[in-house]
Amino acid sequence: MSDAGFTEADRAFMTRAIELAQQGERRPGGSPIGCVIVLDGEIVGEGFNETALRCDPTAHGEVVAMRKAGARLGRMELRGATLYSTLEPCGMCCMASIWAKIGRIVYGAERRQVHPMYFEDRNLGIEDYLRDAHRSDLIWQGGLLSGRCAALYAGPEEDVPPAEQVNR
C-alpha cells in the first residue's frame, strides 16, 4: 500500500503512534494500539490501549489520547486536531472522535489487514460511522505506514487459539 497523500509530518506522528503501540504491548495489561492527537503541529495527547490495565472497556488508545488532550487543553472539543491511530478506529472511537470534534483521522492498518478479533462490529467500518456524522469538516485517511502497523497485530488468516482472542 502506498503512503501517497501523506506528509512527512504525518509519517512522523504515525511513527510515534507505533512506538506507543509497542510500549503498550510490552506493558502488562496494555495492548498494541497506539494513538497520537496533534493540534497545530504539536502532540497534545497520546496513549495506547489500556482496557485490561484499567479494567475499563472504554480505555482504547484513541480514548486515552483524547482524555489526555482534553485534560491538557482544558476542554473537550479538539476541533482542528488530527488523530493518528495504528489501527482503524472501532465504532466507539469513531463516535468519540465525532463528539470531540476531531477534524481528521489518520490510521495505519485497515481492518482487512488484521484478524477479525480486533473488531466487535464485524460488518461496519470507519466510513459507516463517519459518513453520517452530520459533520462536513471531518475527514479520514487510512493506510499510512500500513505494513508496519499491521505487523503489530495477528494477521487476518492467522490461527489464533480461541482463549487468546480478544473481543470474543
Side-chain angles (χ1 to χ4, degrees):
M1 182 164 291
S2 170
D3 282 351
F6 295 105
T7 67
E8 286 305 314
D10 289 332
R11 288 178 191 82
F13 291 127
M14 184 61 76
T15 297
R16 176 61 185 150
I18 291 169
E19 292 168 358
L20 290 163
Q22 292 166 333
Q23 287 177 24
E25 181 153 55
R26 289 190 301 269
R27 186 157 180 198
S31 71
I33 300 173
C35 181
V36 172
I37 297 178
V38 175
L39 183 62
D40 297 327
E42 180 183 350
I43 295 175
V44 294
E46 62 181 26
F48 56 81
N49 190 315
E50 300 179 1
T51 56
L53 180 70
R54 299 194 179 281
C55 300
D56 177 357
T58 69
H60 289 200
E62 297 93 333
V63 173
V64 169
M66 282 184 231
R67 288 175 180 157
K68 289 179 180 179
R72 178 175 177 186
L73 299 171
R75 62 180 193 255
M76 69 171 255
E77 284 196 7
L78 303 173
R79 197 174 296 277
T82 299
L83 180 150
Y84 295 88
S85 179
T86 55
L87 183 61
E88 180 176 333
C90 71
M92 178 185 70
C93 293
C94 288
M95 296 308 293
S97 296
I98 291 166
W99 279 97
K101 307 290 190 281
I102 296 285
R104 179 176 174 232
I105 297 172
V106 177
Y107 58 93
E110 297 176 327
R111 65 187 303 129
R112 65 178 176 73
Q113 295 178 281
V114 301
H115 196 280
M117 70 177 165
Y118 295 107
F119 294 92
E120 283 294 331
D121 45 4
R122 306 287 186 253
N123 298 311
L124 297 176
I126 189 170
E127 65 280 349
D128 296 303
Y129 292 101
L130 300 182
R131 152 178 71 225
D132 296 322
H134 304 291
R135 296 237 346 258
S136 60
D137 62 337
L138 175 59
I139 59 171
W140 64 94
Q141 296 173 274
L144 177 58
L145 303 180
S146 64
R148 288 182 60 196
C149 290
L152 296 164
Y153 312 105
E157 304 301 323
E158 196 168 323
D159 186 20
V160 180
E164 294 177 21
Q165 292 188 24
V166 296
N167 288 339
R168 298 288 175 149

